[in-house]
Amino acid sequence: MLKNKTIGFYIAFFSGAAAVVASIAYLAIYMATAAETVDRVFSWFTFGFMLAGGLIATAGELTRMKWIPLASCACFSLALANHAVEFAYPLADVLTKVPFFGGNYPLALTFTIIFGVIALASVTAAFMKHE
């Protein structure tokens, strides 16, 4: 199954696996830090698309479907874009030094970087040969 695979396959496969782990960590950490309500930055849309993209990428690479990188890139991009929009609220609070919108800035920044790296790796792997 792993015979004759190139670096593009491994980047795509590991970005998919990292997306599954990151989306589960995203859900678990935000639910664990919720006192009365979940943090403003958490979004079920982000969680769903990141998890779906990770599962699509991982399964698609193992089944050798040629169009899978496009679907996983689309899912990762939608999840990253939505999280970036939600990240703007705590970022505005930090930049203006006025706690108005709320949100956990360090946690939001961490997941923005993680989701960005996963999306970038997936897009890079989409333009590479996989076998």
Side-chain angles (χ1 to χ4, degrees):
M1 209 170 176
L2 298 176
K3 188 177 181 183
N4 298 329
K5 299 296 180 187
T6 64
I7 191 73
F9 166 82
Y10 291 108
I11 293 172
F13 182 77
F14 288 119
S15 70
V20 170
V21 171
S23 63
I24 292 171
Y26 175 74
L27 177 67
I29 290 171
Y30 271 107
M31 292 300 157
T33 58
E36 294 175 9
T37 59
V38 180
D39 192 74
R40 175 184 191 106
V41 180
F42 177 79
S43 171
W44 287 103
F45 184 88
T46 302
F47 169 72
F49 272 102
M50 189 56 68
L51 183 63
L55 294 174
I56 288 170
T58 305
E61 290 300 321
L62 294 178
T63 59
R64 298 181 180 141
M65 294 182 188
K66 303 284 185 205
W67 55 273
I68 287 296
L70 296 175
S72 63
C73 285
C75 288
F76 293 148
S77 298
L78 287 171
L80 176 62
N82 187 63
H83 187 71
V85 167
E86 298 298 328
F87 173 60
Y89 296 115
L91 180 62
D93 287 350
V94 168
L95 293 178
T96 61
K97 297 180 177 130
V98 177
F100 181 71
F101 293 113
N104 189 337
Y105 176 76
L107 192 58
L109 177 63
T110 302
F111 278 109
T112 301
I113 292 169
I114 291 170
F115 293 162
V117 169
I118 290 170
L120 184 63
S122 178
V123 169
T124 303
F127 289 100
M128 300 173 88
K129 292 187 180 229
H130 291 230
E131 291 186 29

